[in-house]
Amino acid sequence: MSEYRSLALTVIAIFIITFLAAYFSPSFAEQKTYLELFILFGSLLFIFAVVVIFATLGFHSFALFLSLFLAAVIAMYGVLGALLITAVTYFLWGSIFAMELLLFYNGSESAKAWFLSRYDFKTFKMEYVAFYPLMGMLYILLEFIPYLFSKEKLLKFTPSKVLKEMEMLLE
C-alpha cells in the first residue's frame, strides 16, 4: 500500500510544482506555458487512469467507460481526438488480446487461465473477429520475422484452429 501512497504523492507534487511555477511566473507567456503543461499533465493522468481501468476490467466491461471517456475527449479535443483515442485503445487492447491468443496457441497455462477468467465463448468470438487483423500482425512480428533471422522452427498459426480450441475450452 505504501507504493501507491508514494505514487499518489509524486503525482500531487508534480501538479503542485507546476501550478506554483505558473502562479509565480514573471511573464504572461511563461504563465500560459506552465498552465498548458498543467493541463497536459492532467490529461495524461486521466488517460493513464483509463488505460489502467481498461486493462483491469477487460474489453466487454469497459464499453460504458469508453463511451464516457470518448464523450469527455470530444468535449475537450474534438472528434479528431476521439478518433485518435479510439485507435490507440483498439491497438492496445487488440495487442494484449492477440498476444494472449498467441501464448495460448503455444500452450501457455497462464494465457489459458487469462481467457477462462475473462471470457465466455460469445464475448471471445466478438473480440476474435474484432482483433483478427492484429493477430496476423503480431504473428508476423513475433514469430515470422524472428524465424527469418534465427532459423528456428516456425510454428504455423491457424486462427480457425484456435477458435475451435477456444470453443471447447470456454463452452
Side-chain angles (χ1 to χ4, degrees):
M1 193 59 147
S2 65
E3 62 270 0
Y4 296 120
R5 190 176 311 127
S6 62
L7 177 66
L9 289 174
T10 304
V11 169
I12 291 169
I14 289 171
F15 281 103
I16 289 173
I17 291 169
T18 308
F19 187 73
L20 288 174
Y23 184 75
F24 290 112
S25 293
S27 69
F28 178 73
E30 286 181 23
Q31 219 175 26
K32 181 181 172 190
T33 302
Y34 281 117
L35 287 175
E36 287 174 353
L37 187 62
F38 184 82
I39 292 170
L40 176 68
F41 283 149
S43 300
L44 287 174
L45 181 65
F46 181 67
I47 290 170
F48 178 73
V50 168
V51 169
V52 168
I53 291 170
F54 182 64
T56 304
L57 295 178
F59 188 75
H60 63 280
S61 301
F62 190 69
L64 179 63
F65 294 116
L66 183 61
S67 62
L68 292 173
F69 179 65
L70 286 177
V73 168
I74 287 172
M76 290 187 290
Y77 302 109
V79 175
L80 187 59
L83 289 174
L84 181 64
I85 293 300
T86 303
V88 167
T89 304
Y90 174 81
F91 180 76
L92 285 175
W93 185 251
S95 296
I96 293 168
F97 182 82
M99 183 78 69
E100 290 291 335
L101 198 64
L102 285 171
L103 287 170
F104 173 78
Y105 189 72
N106 288 315
S108 172
E109 288 297 319
S110 63
K112 181 179 177 181
W114 188 82
F115 281 111
L116 285 171
S117 68
R118 286 175 172 77
Y119 294 100
D120 59 9
F121 183 69
K122 181 181 174 186
T123 57
F124 170 79
K125 191 171 181 182
M126 286 185 338
E127 288 189 34
Y128 174 85
V129 171
F131 298 128
Y132 194 83
L134 288 173
M135 285 186 279
M137 183 186 75
L138 257 102
Y139 173 71
I140 290 170
L141 289 174
L142 296 175
E143 295 285 340
F144 189 72
I145 292 176
Y147 161 75
L148 293 176
F149 293 114
S150 68
K151 301 299 181 198
E152 292 181 11
K153 183 183 174 198
L154 179 66
L155 180 65
K156 181 151 174 65
F157 178 65
T158 312
S160 60
K161 185 177 175 185
V162 174
L163 186 63
K164 288 177 187 174
E165 288 180 25
M166 281 296 191
E167 185 175 16
M168 292 179 358
L169 178 70
L170 298 174
E171 288 279 328

